[in-house]
Amino acid sequence: MRIDILTLFPQFFSTLLQSAIFQRAQDKEMVSFNVYNIRDYTHDKHHIADDYPFGGGAGMLLKPEPVFEALEDVLKDRHADEPPIPVILTTPQGQIFSQSLAYQLSQHKRIAILCGHYEGIDDRVREHLVTHEVSIGDYVLSGGELPALVIADALVRLIPGVLGSEESAVADSHSDGLLEYPQFTRPADFRGWKVPEVLLSGNHAKIAAWRREQSILKTAHKRPDMLAKTSLTAKEKKWLAELFPIQADIGNSSLGK
Ligand code: ADE
């Protein structure tokens, strides 16, 4: 997968590039990651990339010309027979980023992420260049660089072979609509707190059943909203309904509401 990032602050991305997972993904040529400085596509002496909003108002807006030129440059080597490349704008106005969106985006061979500007961006960019507007949550950050890092990180770990073991991404919280089950390492007894017996049993079927049960319970406690969207078997629903008799609708729609 190729990820191109367009930003006014390329230095933001050096930490991600140094992370072990990214290094490995790049070394194995599973990911190529390119950062472009939008300012390099300005033509004036001072490399000014923003300007005052028409109609007045506070703050400066990212100008359309350098953004269009940068993206056109980045996308120019796409062959006509290749699928369109998603162009993601990070903005608090976008659809909320989720594991399922990460998964959808990770299916593309290439994506481009345009980091939103703290004070805004000329709307023609959004209208004519951007294919996805993505927010990482209902709060406002000073720029779109951290959201771009979040998105890139979530995508890269979904690319087959990037993580040490394929299972680690499959078992991740959110990958099946449930939170991840509790995990333990040695010692089996730490300060009298013992690891659940079943995990020491070597019985893989029992361990898998325990983990599924724990995932469901944890999700029911911490994120009942997620349970409403995940699919549980009839047996699991019955079992949960017995545990939480008041919220009999668990696993259908409204646990915890
Ligand atoms: N830019 C500023 N805040 C943001 C957010 N929450 N998500 C994505 N981009 C942003």
Side-chain angles (χ1 to χ4, degrees):
M1 179 178 211
R2 172 172 160 188
I3 302 178
D4 295 311
I5 300 212
L6 292 88
T7 173
L8 286 175
F9 302 102
Q11 66 275 19
F12 250 95
F13 296 89
S14 55
T15 43
L16 178 72
L17 295 174
Q18 283 159 19
S19 83
I21 287 183
F22 260 77
Q23 291 273 335
R24 183 156 17 108
Q26 291 203 109
D27 293 348
K28 290 193 193 166
E29 295 182 1
M30 288 161 175
V31 182
S32 84
F33 193 73
N34 312 293
V35 181
Y36 299 84
N37 189 343
I38 295 168
R39 225 175 276 286
D40 291 342
Y41 293 86
T42 54
H43 299 293
D44 63 300
K45 197 166 79 182
H46 300 292
H47 299 290
I48 292 171
D50 52 7
D51 208 339
Y52 295 98
F54 279 120
M60 304 282 275
L61 302 182
L62 196 50
K63 290 160 66 66
E65 305 96 312
V67 179
F68 270 79
E69 283 189 33
L71 255 171
E72 282 158 4
D73 185 30
V74 167
L75 302 182
K76 69 176 184 293
D77 53 358
R78 178 181 84 87
H79 296 289
D81 55 345
E82 284 172 358
I85 298 167
V87 175
I88 297 156
L89 171 67
T90 52
T91 161
Q93 298 183 6
Q95 90 179 92
I96 300 284
F97 191 55
S98 62
Q99 191 67 16
S100 70
L101 183 55
Y103 182 75
Q104 278 172 43
L105 293 171
S106 75
Q107 303 298 301
H108 291 267
K109 280 217 162 75
R110 282 184 67 177
I111 62 158
I113 308 179
L114 170 60
C115 299
H117 184 249
Y118 32 95
E119 281 158 351
I121 190 162
D122 186 288
D123 206 53
R124 287 164 290 191
V125 170
R126 191 191 56 75
E127 201 174 324
H128 301 291
L129 269 183
V130 166
T131 62
H132 297 67
E133 295 174 64
V134 176
S135 164
I136 60 159
D138 287 337
Y139 42 82
V140 179
L141 300 166
S142 338
E145 282 71 22
L146 286 172
L149 281 168
V150 167
I151 295 167
D153 189 289
L155 293 191
V156 165
R157 63 199 313 289
L158 287 176
I159 298 170
V162 165
L163 295 186
S165 136
E166 290 295 309
E167 274 181 24
S168 349
V170 174
D172 274 350
S173 289
H174 296 281
S175 60
D176 59 358
L178 293 172
L179 298 178
E180 195 180 8
Y181 46 80
Q183 302 246 52
F184 301 89
T185 185
R186 285 185 289 186
D189 184 338
F190 172 66
R191 298 187 177 178
W193 297 310
K194 294 194 176 62
V195 168
E197 204 60 48
V198 58
L199 297 178
L200 313 176
S201 69
N203 182 329
H204 296 295
K206 270 196 178 157
I207 292 173
W210 181 85
R211 286 180 165 165
R212 170 89 185 162
E213 211 177 274
Q214 291 295 315
S215 275
I216 296 172
L217 282 179
K218 207 188 226 193
T219 313
H221 278 297
K222 294 188 175 175
R223 291 290 306 274
D225 58 304
M226 281 174 62
L227 260 199
K229 291 182 226 145
T230 196
S231 52
L232 300 180
T233 65
K235 204 173 146 198
E236 287 167 345
K237 283 182 196 169
K238 191 165 166 271
W239 166 70
L240 258 187
E242 278 163 18
L243 283 176
F244 298 92
I246 305 164
Q247 297 146 319
D249 218 9
I250 293 159
N252 286 326
S253 61
S254 60
L255 173 69
K257 282 191 188 151

